Amino acid sequence: MNPIDIPRDDHPDDPGRRERAADERLSAQLAGLRPVQPGPELRARIAAELVREPRDRVTPAPRRPLAAIGERLAWAAGGAVAASLAFLLAGAVPAGRGPAAVATVAATAPAEPSAARPPRVRDEAVSWSDEGIRFVDELTPARVLRRKVIERHLAGDGAAEVQVPREDVIFLPVALR
């Protein structure tokens, strides 16, 4: 590459050179500026404002920490009530929960007094699931089985039946070799 082909910054017709020169002059002028001290009239007005008691300004009442906590708790309780109402109106049952007990009344002829026979319980297996081998603690492996059952409690006189869902978790020890 020839020296003549290299672009140079010192050419007199270069527009970038003029902009750099203007920037340098502006920087020099700004560097020479100093803040102006306020005059005596401005100082007197500032002092008068600082001394005068403001009467038209409303000062907020000091907040008590317990009041702030109470307000936050009230908002949280309101949100919880609104969420509960939404679930109640939707009729949704939370996951993993079914009705705790369902009572059905069957028409049967009275046989013996209820004190003579103990209540009868029947288990109706719904499902079994094998969750594989898990470690109970760091050293003890066990196979985890889940059994879902519906217990049917029949009253001694047979007049009422209560259905209770139950889930059993069974840990079977496993020997690792």
Side-chain angles (χ1 to χ4, degrees):
M1 194 185 250
N2 289 336
I4 213 160
D5 295 333
I6 300 173
R8 300 185 59 159
D9 292 340
D10 59 351
H11 193 273
D13 293 334
D14 184 21
R17 180 174 180 223
R18 288 187 205 137
E19 290 176 14
R20 283 190 299 278
D23 288 344
E24 289 174 4
R25 281 194 308 271
L26 181 60
S27 294
Q29 287 176 352
L30 290 176
L33 293 178
R34 299 286 174 244
V36 176
Q37 295 297 324
E41 180 183 316
L42 181 59
R43 287 181 188 220
R45 283 193 333 209
I46 291 173
E49 282 292 322
L50 290 176
V51 170
R52 189 173 64 118
E53 181 78 24
R55 294 173 196 235
D56 56 341
R57 189 173 60 176
V58 177
T59 58
R63 285 190 80 157
R64 297 183 310 243
L66 291 178
I69 291 171
E71 179 183 354
R72 290 181 183 133
L73 285 175
W75 279 106
V81 167
S84 299
L85 284 176
F87 278 121
L88 183 66
L89 293 176
V93 176
R97 289 195 176 167
V102 178
T104 58
V105 178
T108 59
E112 302 176 0
S114 61
R117 291 192 342 206
R120 293 176 291 177
V121 177
R122 288 184 301 149
D123 288 345
E124 180 181 323
V126 175
S127 68
W128 281 87
S129 66
D130 184 359
E131 295 185 1
I133 296 175
R134 307 265 173 107
F135 282 89
V136 178
D137 58 18
E138 294 178 3
L139 301 173
T140 310
R143 178 174 296 279
V144 179
L145 301 171
R146 285 190 188 269
R147 181 182 128 187
K148 294 182 181 176
V149 174
I150 300 230
E151 291 180 354
R152 298 185 186 275
H153 298 268
L154 190 61
D157 59 356
E161 179 180 281
V162 177
Q163 299 175 0
V164 180
R166 186 180 80 206
E167 182 177 42
D168 297 328
V169 179
I170 303 167
F171 292 95
L172 298 174
V174 175
L176 295 178
R177 295 183 186 184

